[in-house]
């Protein structure tokens, strides 16, 4: 994952499922005025936001799944060309204003009354997009809670965020539907893994990096997925959502499965990552590489968003193939 996209993680969150049809769900008008707390910041809304700018693909997918596509004035920083089928038609209607983060001028040009960010870097102060600066201009902001400073996120983080966004956007019924679908799907897999009562499989998430591996740490959704899938993230002790580790640690901790993280702008893609690991003097000696036990997940699969249930099923099948039957 691009390091520039990482940062803190936090807010209230909720869970999701890509099964819903965002366009077909009736919406409930938001209250005339309401107040929420997001990443420790109090936000006051005098009415339902009408012009939403969404930064980072997973945040945009959540908004589309909530059925507010007609109010999204733009999105930025896509991670993958693939969009979950349930929202693909609606998602295609959203205009991409920048392949990376927009300039302040581009942002203001969309005339948003709410900016939703998927990563803390969406609100980089050095680029003029800080939350204080935007809110001083009358633009409300919302950061997906996985990225709040010092947060430790789980599936509940996502479902909580869904609830908050549903109230703010007047989409309470759609939010409740997504929360229910997500919770049921996640609980089904979690129960199956628990009933099997297997030893946790050591798993290494390889995002990028040759000098040092950039990996999933212990504070994000990826770590929670590993535990629910019957795995043990070998870098759960890294106190970040994503962070650097060392190849010596990879060798010592001997992962039995490696998750290759796929996203746009990743030179060579997952095939190049696999070849690199197979040639690396330390990584190549791990049980995962020797036994060719690789799982591919996209970056949005491992962070807060609607892809979490199918990602959990894919990871569980990679760690415990017989449980996928």
């Amino acid at each position: 994952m691009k390091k520039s996209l990482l940062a803190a993680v936090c807010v209230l969150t909720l869970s999701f499922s890509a099964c819903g049809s965002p366009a077909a769900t009736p919406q409930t008008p938001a209250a005339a005025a309401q107040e929420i707390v997001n990443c420790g910041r109090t936000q006051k809304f005098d009415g339902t936001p009408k012009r939403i700018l969404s930064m980072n693909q997973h945040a945009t997918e959540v908004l589309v799944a909530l059925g507010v596509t007609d109010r999204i004035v733009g999105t930025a920083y896509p991670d993958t060309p693939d969009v979950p089928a349930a929202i693909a038609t609606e998602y295609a209607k959203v205009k991409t204003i920048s392949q990376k983060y927009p300039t302040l001028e581009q942002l203001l040009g969309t005339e948003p009354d709410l900016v939703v960010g998927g990563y803390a870097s969406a609100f980089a102060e050095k680029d003029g997009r800080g939350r204080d600066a935007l809110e001083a201009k009358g633009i409300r902001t919302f950061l997906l809670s996985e990225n709040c400073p010092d947060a430790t996120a789980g599936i509940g983080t996502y479902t909580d965020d869904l609830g908050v966004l549903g109230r703010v956007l007047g989409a309470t019924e759609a939010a409740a539907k997504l929360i229910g679908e997500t919770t049921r799907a996640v609980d089904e897999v979690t129960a199956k893994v628990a009933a099997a009562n297997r030893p946790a499989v050591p798993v290494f998430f390889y995002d990028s990096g040759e000098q040092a591996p950039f990996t999933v740490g212990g504070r994000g959704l990826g770590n929670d997925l590993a535990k629910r899938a019957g795995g043990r993230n070998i870098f759960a002790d890294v106190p970040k959502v994503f962070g650097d580790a060392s190849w010596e640690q990879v060798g010592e901790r001997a992962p039995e499965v490696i998750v290759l993280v796929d996203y746009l702008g990743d030179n060579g893609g997952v095939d190049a990552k696999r070849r690199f690991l197979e040639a690396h003097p330390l990584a190549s000696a791990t049980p995962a590489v020797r036994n060719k036990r690789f799982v591919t997940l996209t970056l949005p699969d491992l962070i807060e968003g609607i892809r979490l249930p199918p990602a959990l099923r894919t990871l569980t099948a990679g760690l415990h193939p017989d449980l996928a039957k």
Side-chain angles (χ1 to χ4, degrees):
M1 164 171 179
K2 308 106 173 169
K3 294 187 186 179
S4 63
L5 293 184
L6 304 175
V9 178
C10 167
V11 174
L12 310 167
T13 19
L14 311 158
S15 50
F16 141 96
S17 166
C19 307
S21 175
T25 305
Q27 303 305 304
T28 302
Q34 58 181 307
E35 190 172 277
I36 66 167
V37 178
N38 173 242
C39 289
R41 303 175 68 90
T42 299
Q43 296 274 312
K44 295 181 180 180
F45 290 82
D46 296 328
T48 305
K50 300 295 192 297
R51 297 182 62 82
I52 309 164
L53 176 63
S54 178
M55 293 196 280
N56 306 115
Q57 182 170 345
H58 59 298
T60 307
E61 291 179 355
V62 169
L63 294 172
V64 172
L66 286 174
V68 298
T69 307
D70 60 339
R71 285 185 268 156
I72 303 175
V73 295
T75 185
Y77 223 138
D79 285 315
T80 171
D82 300 318
V83 175
I87 65 165
T89 300
E90 288 296 297
Y91 189 95
K93 299 176 183 178
V94 180
K95 179 182 179 181
T96 299
I97 66 169
S98 176
Q99 292 299 312
K100 299 294 183 182
Y101 285 127
T103 64
L104 179 59
E105 290 72 21
Q106 287 175 309
L107 185 155
L108 295 177
T110 67
E111 301 181 344
D113 55 9
L114 172 65
V115 177
V116 178
Y119 299 102
S121 51
F123 298 113
E125 293 184 9
K126 64 181 179 61
D127 296 325
R129 298 191 310 270
R131 298 185 72 177
D132 285 338
L134 294 178
E135 289 161 22
K137 298 179 186 297
I139 302 170
R140 299 293 178 261
T141 62
F142 189 94
L143 175 63
L144 294 185
S145 302
E146 183 180 11
N147 297 278
C148 298
D150 302 322
T152 298
I155 295 293
T157 304
Y158 168 57
T159 53
D160 287 347
D161 274 351
L162 282 177
V164 175
L165 285 169
R167 293 199 310 274
V168 166
L169 301 174
T172 54
E173 292 184 31
K177 185 171 185 288
L178 283 176
I179 292 167
E181 290 173 345
T182 300
T183 303
R184 286 191 294 274
V186 169
D187 286 351
E188 179 182 355
V189 176
T190 303
K192 182 181 291 189
V193 170
N197 194 27
R198 308 280 178 74
V201 177
V203 57
F204 165 45
F205 294 85
Y206 182 43
D207 178 288
S208 58
E210 295 189 358
Q211 296 302 312
F214 194 56
T215 187
V216 168
R219 288 190 170 173
L221 269 296
N223 188 68
D224 190 32
L225 288 183
K227 290 188 290 186
R228 291 175 180 275
R232 175 176 57 79
N233 175 13
I234 66 170
F235 289 113
D237 56 340
V238 173
K240 299 179 180 180
V241 178
F242 287 81
D244 286 320
S246 74
W247 290 113
E248 289 75 16
Q249 289 174 312
V250 172
E252 292 166 0
R253 299 181 184 189
E256 294 180 16
V257 173
I258 294 176
V259 174
L260 303 173
V261 185
D262 189 19
Y263 50 85
L264 287 172
D266 185 19
N267 294 334
V270 293
D271 290 338
K273 290 178 183 179
R274 184 182 294 106
R275 291 192 297 270
F276 172 77
L277 293 172
E278 290 171 342
H280 193 279
L282 295 173
S284 62
T286 63
V289 177
R290 291 201 313 269
N291 296 321
K292 301 185 183 303
R293 294 191 66 186
F294 295 100
V295 175
T296 296
L297 291 173
T298 67
L299 179 55
D301 288 333
L302 294 170
I303 50 186
E304 193 176 338
I306 66 174
R307 302 178 186 228
L308 289 172
L312 176 58
R313 290 190 289 268
T314 298
L315 182 56
T316 301
L319 299 179
H320 303 285
D322 60 311
L323 295 185
K325 298 177 181 178

